[in-house]
Amino acid sequence: MGIADIDRRILALGVARMADSLGNSFLIVVLPLYITSGVVSGGTFGLAPALITGIILSAYGFFNSALQPFVGKLSDRTGKRRVFVVVGLLVLTVANFAYSLVDSYTAILLIRLGQGLGVAFTIPA
């Protein structure tokens, strides 16, 4: 079985997931630099900047992991997996673009939650 024998839909989904994973991996390196650069302002909820950075980074994984079972069950129940994948990728696109518009810890935390939601829609479907 060669690459020409692979279903194009599966290949497209694989490439989309690869791009998502690459982008999220890139954020693990760049996001702490962005947060400590001085561009991000506002309260840190009384926490040290290093701790709030860790919370922001881990929010994606916690939210994603918590939502996947529910979204997966809903996806199975409705049988509309393509819709879930497309919605998830659209949510990720909007969330990734939103980084260019925000400058507060709270907004970055909400973006990470949005990214977790997008991936929670995409992976189970």
Side-chain angles (χ1 to χ4, degrees):
M1 177 182 218
I3 194 155
D5 298 328
I6 296 175
D7 185 351
R8 290 181 185 197
R9 295 172 296 176
I10 300 298
L11 187 61
L13 285 173
V15 169
R17 276 297 298 139
M18 180 190 69
D20 166 52
S21 295
L22 181 66
N24 192 47
S25 298
F26 184 70
L27 278 176
I28 291 172
V29 174
V30 173
L31 202 53
L33 298 173
Y34 177 67
I35 290 171
T36 59
S37 70
V39 173
V40 179
S41 62
T44 59
F45 314 109
L47 304 172
L51 182 58
I52 195 69
T53 301
I55 290 170
I56 288 171
L57 285 173
S58 62
Y60 162 85
F62 286 133
F63 202 62
N64 173 22
S65 298
L67 289 178
Q68 274 190 29
F70 302 108
V71 176
K73 186 171 185 163
L74 185 62
S75 169
D76 289 344
R77 190 175 296 166
T78 61
K80 298 186 182 223
R81 288 181 177 83
R82 180 179 290 180
V83 172
F84 279 78
V85 171
V86 170
V87 166
L89 291 174
L90 287 173
V91 168
L92 277 171
T93 300
V94 170
N96 290 340
F97 175 74
Y99 279 113
S100 64
L101 305 174
V102 301
D103 62 354
S104 73
Y105 293 105
T106 305
I108 292 175
L109 183 60
L110 291 174
I111 290 171
R112 288 299 280 175
L113 294 176
Q115 288 177 313
L117 176 68
V119 172
F121 266 77
T122 306
I123 290 177

